[in-house]
Amino acid sequence: MGPPRTDDQSVNGPYVFHNVTRGVALATRVAIAGDSETRRRGLLDADHLESGSGLWIVPCEAIHTFGMKVRLDIVFLDKLLRVKKISHDLGPRRMSVCLRAHSVLELPAGAVARSGTQIGDQLQRNPKSADDATDAARPENSAGCSGGQCRSL
């Protein structure tokens, strides 16, 4: 199956997802699965997901964890990136569906609880920049948003 996906650009991707409602970064290294091949492959060969990493599958209304080795938090989003449904700590051989969703954010188990993300929250997707790591490390950003940037958990 190849090397673990955690070192792969498709997992440690170029996007940051901020929870605007809570003022926190939900994930800081999110890849996009926007074509048929990457949506089918998903995180199937991932042995481990680093904190802050994730996969955004678009379009998507349902996911499965058959063949998965890691537990996931699943966040179903509408077209405006509002949280429609959350499946916490989904283990192998499970399915989760939300027919009102337009896309799915797959995160390491526990990420949603740490961020306080809830149904109805508004998310925002931004390209990852070199400044993201620097901003998250600054003391003024450790307790919330400052200058439009949200803290990372």
Side-chain angles (χ1 to χ4, degrees):
M1 273 198 241
R5 295 274 308 277
T6 54
D7 295 330
D8 186 333
Q9 177 64 19
S10 63
V11 172
N12 296 317
Y15 297 106
V16 176
F17 274 77
H18 294 283
N19 183 327
V20 178
T21 306
R22 309 278 165 212
V24 297
L26 180 57
T28 56
R29 293 179 317 279
V30 179
I32 186 169
D35 62 42
S36 180
E37 181 182 344
T38 56
R39 285 193 305 267
R40 274 194 320 273
R41 183 176 170 203
L43 295 172
L44 281 174
D45 4 332
D47 292 321
H48 173 74
L49 290 179
E50 297 293 327
S51 179
S53 67
L55 182 66
W56 184 41
I57 306 171
V58 58
C60 185
E61 298 174 332
I63 61 95
H64 70 83
T65 59
F66 297 103
M68 297 284 295
K69 300 172 191 159
V70 295
R71 301 182 76 81
L72 299 172
D73 281 352
I74 307 299
V75 181
F76 289 92
L77 304 168
D78 66 13
K79 286 185 178 183
L80 299 175
L81 300 181
R82 286 183 303 237
V83 177
K84 302 310 279 181
K85 178 181 175 179
I86 298 170
S87 295
H88 295 274
D89 197 22
L90 204 62
R93 297 177 308 281
R94 300 287 180 254
M95 292 181 68
S96 190
V97 178
C98 179
L99 298 178
R100 296 170 293 145
H102 173 69
S103 63
V104 172
L105 192 56
E106 294 184 341
L107 305 168
V112 171
R114 283 190 298 277
S115 70
T117 298
Q118 299 177 16
I119 294 171
D121 284 1
Q122 179 66 55
L123 302 188
Q124 180 180 34
R125 178 179 59 98
N126 297 312
K128 182 170 178 59
S129 69
D131 295 337
D132 289 332
T134 305
D135 286 342
R138 290 187 183 142
E140 66 269 20
N141 287 340
S142 63
C145 291
S146 175
Q149 295 294 319
C150 296
R151 67 181 165 95
S152 180
L153 296 176

